[in-house]
Amino acid sequence: MADAKQTPAVQNGDSPRGFAFALTAYLLWGFLPFFMKAVAHIPAFEVVAHRIVWSVPLAGAVLVLLGRTDDIKIALRSPRMLKMAMLTAVLITINWGIYVWAIGAGRALETALGYYINPLFSIFLGAVLLKEKLNPAQIVAIVLAGVAVVVLAFDAGGLPWVSIGLALSWGLYAFFRKTLPVGPNQGFFLEVLLLSIPALGYIVYLEASGQGHFSDTGWADIAWLMACGVVTAVPLMIYANGAKLLRLSTIGIMQYIAPTMIFIIAVFVFHEPFGTPKLIAFILIWAALAVYSTSMLMESRARRAVMANPAE
């Protein structure tokens, strides 16, 4: 994921600077439901369009400051890279659209569940697409997550599509994003640049037809929509620069920060219904993540022990 070669801090331990970056990003994502609730009166597709358009100048400015604009020029001349970037761009747009709509519709709990499920879905995806072998703990975790989904489906009379949609779109995005041979900042800029053409066209259409919220509904809406770029681009780029300074096991544990915050906000601030079936489902998911995280940490410690004593 890094713009440069992995540093010794990543190989031998966690960098405090990397931890601070990652923690900042996850906290910003954790508080994001408040922003999305503030723009809930604006249609989700319009919010997503503005997230895309206003992210372009921010992400572009970062690349200029980092001196990495040549990577974008190379990518724009590569048809294969453009196709892969368009695929990941579509997946991240689907993820954003589901998330924005769900928060505005009072279904923040389902978004929290989706992001809890995501790491387990990524394991499942690796087993199916990459033929990676699952260890017993991973199998148990996936089964527990599957039971949680069944409990919610039985309670609601249908599958929890918000949770499944978020886990699927983000899991597939992360999977295919690894095939895009550019750094995280460059990749993000390339994605929003490609998406900006249809997004800008959609915004122009909305404003011309009197359906938009950027010109006729007051300065508050203009400010909220322009801020969409900040809340989208800033956490992603902070995270990208933090992840390359941390071990994967550390990132694996820290990724639970945002959904936990979303869960707390949904229950105690937004006062979304949290009956027995949802409680059972979340307990199952938390148990699955505990099993998965414990196994991941044990494997990480074992690898470090082998690296520290290669002769044994």
Side-chain angles (χ1 to χ4, degrees):
M1 290 183 64
D3 286 343
K5 292 183 179 179
Q6 205 172 40
T7 66
V10 182
Q11 296 170 357
N12 303 322
D14 294 321
S15 159
R17 185 163 166 263
F19 183 84
F21 277 140
L23 180 61
T24 299
Y26 281 119
L27 289 175
L28 289 172
W29 280 325
F31 284 115
L32 189 58
F34 288 116
F35 180 90
M36 293 306 164
K37 208 70 169 177
V39 296
H41 63 288
I42 301 174
F45 284 126
E46 185 176 359
V47 173
V48 171
H50 280 276
R51 290 187 75 172
I52 293 165
V53 168
W54 296 109
S55 291
V56 173
L58 281 174
V62 169
L63 290 186
V64 171
L65 289 173
L66 294 175
R68 304 309 299 262
T69 55
D70 287 344
D71 296 341
I72 298 301
K73 296 175 183 177
I74 294 171
L76 292 174
R77 291 195 294 266
S78 169
R80 180 183 176 277
M81 201 177 299
L82 288 175
K83 289 177 183 178
M84 290 305 304
M86 183 55 71
L87 173 61
T88 58
V90 169
L91 288 169
I92 196 62
T93 301
I94 293 171
N95 184 269
W96 289 346
I98 295 172
Y99 179 81
V100 172
W101 175 85
I103 298 296
R107 300 172 75 168
L109 269 174
E110 293 180 52
T111 69
L113 181 65
Y115 288 122
Y116 274 133
I117 292 174
N118 179 66
L120 303 177
F121 173 70
S122 294
I123 297 171
F124 175 76
L125 201 62
V128 172
L129 298 182
L130 301 179
K131 308 302 179 184
E132 295 176 351
K133 188 176 180 181
L134 299 176
N135 62 40
Q138 291 173 331
I139 294 173
V140 170
I142 290 172
V143 170
L144 286 172
V147 174
V149 171
V150 170
V151 169
L152 289 175
F154 181 78
D155 175 58
L159 290 173
W161 288 112
V162 168
S163 303
I164 293 174
L166 287 173
L168 283 172
S169 57
W170 185 262
L172 289 169
Y173 170 76
F175 177 82
F176 288 111
R177 182 60 182 80
K178 291 180 181 179
T179 66
L180 197 60
V182 293
N185 292 326
Q186 298 95 310
F188 174 68
F189 176 77
L190 185 59
E191 288 164 352
V192 292
L193 182 65
L194 293 173
L195 291 169
S196 65
I197 299 172
L200 186 59
Y202 181 61
I203 292 171
V204 170
Y205 163 75
L206 289 177
E207 296 303 323
S209 61
Q211 302 175 62
H213 291 75
F214 192 70
S215 59
D216 299 327
T217 57
W219 284 102
D221 281 347
I222 293 174
W224 283 120
L225 290 172
M226 290 182 69
C228 284
V230 176
V231 302
T232 300
V234 171
L236 275 170
M237 290 187 289
I238 291 176
Y239 169 81
N241 288 281
K244 65 185 179 182
L245 300 173
L246 296 174
R247 292 173 297 186
L248 288 176
S249 58
T250 303
I251 288 293
I253 298 299
M254 292 184 74
Q255 67 183 317
Y256 305 140
I257 294 173
T260 299
M261 292 177 64
I262 295 171
F263 171 82
I264 292 170
I265 291 169
V267 174
F268 297 104
V269 181
F270 297 163
H271 303 293
E272 293 188 9
F274 189 61
T276 301
K278 284 183 179 174
L279 175 61
I280 293 172
F282 271 92
I283 288 174
L284 288 167
I285 286 294
W286 290 328
L289 294 174
V291 171
Y292 160 70
S293 299
T294 301
S295 170
M296 181 179 62
L297 288 173
M298 291 175 65
E299 288 182 356
S300 178
R301 288 172 181 171
R303 284 195 298 269
R304 291 203 302 273
V306 170
M307 291 175 63
N309 302 282
E312 293 184 4

